[in-house]
Amino acid sequence: MRGPHLELTSAASPVVAVVGPTAVGKTRLAIALARRFDGEIVNADSRQVYRLMSIGTAKPTPAERSEAPHHLIDILNPDESFGLGLFLKLAREVIDDIADRGRLPIVAGGTGQYVRGLLEGRQVPEVPPDPCFRQRLEQMAAEGGGEALYARLQEIDPARAVALDPRNTRRVIRALEIHQSTGRKPSEMGQNQAPPFPSLVIGLTMERQELYQRIDARVDDMMAQGLLDEVRELAAAGYTPGQGALSSPGYRELGEYFAGLTSLEEAVARTKTQTHRMARRQYTWFKLGDPRVHWLDASEEGLELKAAAIVASFLEANPPVLQ
């Protein structure tokens, strides 16, 4: 059942976001809401933007994509860079386009940094990656640990250092890269601005062990679908498992299997364990006590109806401006 077709202006278009850990059912709910409310889905998963990585990233299937339009999927090759800045630019353009065509933008994905950045009006410095600089600092971190890089950032920009986890070497390097390129403190750049749209966040959760069981079943299903062949074909095409886009669970571990570093059984078991860890990290972006999030138990009956009622109430309170 579809809702009424509304002519939205891009400046006032309400936006719905569906967040939660991997395997909790975000795609299924987002599609259901898109069908009910004449919506289109904006992908907020940092790996589903890459071509050739369909099974291991649990992309919506062709059948699922036929049920509702999807955006920001299969737009880059696996060796191309993608981060928060580019996501925000592309997502804002897509949201404007969806609203201009009178439909409801529904942001869905497990990369919480992307969703929060979008909904909070994050402004990111447009500083292109410097591969040589990154490689040099990554080598320093590999040889001596990331503590020295974090100490350097503390000297350059204490405010930015406080905001980062010292163990997140990738983000520490990015902060140093911005300073290297611009000569400015990263903390003085990219301040948040009020986003031009009201937003609603629906969070999906479930009991932890049940989620882990669902993750394990998904990994087994990925293997049955041909994940091993997908990783083999990516490696044959020149992409290195464990690096860049292929550092996510499954690609790294199966790459180690192909390199003779582990058995297939162990690679699959480690893929499950690493995906459990990823799910726990995903919760840190939208905590269960966050009052901005309408949390729903994904394992309960009537999930779609409950979510639809929340969206309908939100749209009633935040009516789009008719053109």
Side-chain angles (χ1 to χ4, degrees):
M1 180 182 72
R2 291 182 180 273
H5 185 81
L6 300 174
E7 293 296 328
L8 311 181
T9 62
S10 59
S13 168
V15 172
V16 172
V18 179
V19 302
T22 187
V24 78
K26 297 182 297 294
T27 295
R28 183 167 59 252
L29 180 60
I31 291 173
L33 293 176
R35 290 174 60 83
R36 281 178 173 267
F37 295 99
D38 205 17
E40 299 188 14
I41 298 169
V42 182
N43 167 54
D45 183 293
S46 64
R47 292 299 185 260
Q48 291 183 1
V49 299
Y50 291 108
R51 306 181 187 100
L52 309 178
M53 297 172 59
S54 296
I55 299 173
T57 64
K59 280 179 191 169
T61 65
E64 288 173 325
R65 289 190 231 181
S66 70
E67 293 187 63
H70 285 68
H71 302 270
L72 303 188
I73 290 178
D74 290 336
I75 61 173
L76 296 173
N77 291 326
D79 58 352
E80 295 182 273
S81 296
F82 189 78
L84 177 60
L86 183 54
F87 168 77
L88 292 176
K89 177 180 182 296
L90 297 178
R92 287 164 179 159
E93 291 174 354
V94 167
I95 286 172
D96 283 351
D97 176 65
I98 293 171
D100 285 343
R101 290 184 285 102
R103 309 196 74 183
L104 176 66
I106 300 175
V107 180
T111 306
Q113 181 192 29
Y114 289 5
V115 180
R116 281 191 58 175
L118 178 66
L119 301 185
E120 294 176 357
R122 180 78 185 277
Q123 304 298 311
V124 176
E126 294 188 8
V127 177
D130 183 337
C132 293
F133 181 80
R134 287 188 178 186
Q135 185 176 18
R136 185 164 70 251
L137 267 61
E138 287 169 355
Q139 185 66 29
M140 291 175 57
E143 293 175 353
E147 295 82 0
L149 298 182
Y150 186 74
R152 181 188 300 186
L153 180 60
Q154 286 179 307
E155 295 177 2
I156 292 171
D157 189 352
R160 183 58 180 151
V162 167
L164 295 181
D165 184 338
R167 297 168 296 180
N168 194 331
T169 304
R170 181 182 63 81
R171 297 188 70 192
V172 171
I173 289 176
R174 176 56 178 167
L176 293 171
E177 182 180 52
I178 291 172
H179 179 266
Q180 167 77 10
S181 177
T182 66
R184 297 174 59 191
K185 295 181 179 180
S187 64
E188 298 174 349
M189 306 171 67
Q191 299 298 313
N192 289 0
Q193 297 180 4
F197 47 75
S199 61
L200 167 73
V201 183
I202 294 177
L204 296 184
T205 187
M206 64 173 50
E207 192 273 328
R208 190 63 57 91
Q209 288 306 313
E210 184 177 357
L211 177 63
Y212 289 167
Q213 291 172 7
R214 187 177 289 195
I215 287 171
D216 293 350
R218 173 186 272 188
V219 172
D220 289 337
D221 186 52
M222 287 176 173
M223 294 300 296
Q225 290 179 47
L227 179 57
L228 195 62
D229 288 336
E230 181 171 275
V231 176
R232 181 187 290 112
E233 290 166 5
L234 283 161
Y239 305 112
T240 304
Q243 294 185 9
L246 274 68
S247 63
S248 51
Y251 296 102
R252 178 188 297 275
E253 291 75 18
L254 292 179
E256 291 174 350
Y257 161 70
F258 282 123
L261 301 177
T262 186
S263 68
L264 181 58
E265 182 180 8
E266 177 62 21
V268 172
R270 289 183 56 205
T271 296
K272 294 175 180 178
T273 299
Q274 291 301 320
T275 309
H276 295 176
R277 291 176 178 171
M278 182 176 73
R280 292 196 295 271
R281 291 195 302 271
Q282 288 172 320
Y283 272 117
T284 65
W285 287 101
F286 291 97
K287 298 183 183 299
L288 293 178
D290 191 332
R292 299 170 298 178
V293 183
H294 294 261
W295 288 104
L296 297 174
D297 189 330
S299 63
E300 291 186 355
E301 293 291 331
L303 172 64
E304 180 183 328
L305 292 177
K306 292 176 183 177
I310 294 171
V311 173
S313 179
F314 165 70
L315 294 177
E316 183 178 358
N318 297 274
V321 177
L322 297 180
Q323 293 184 329

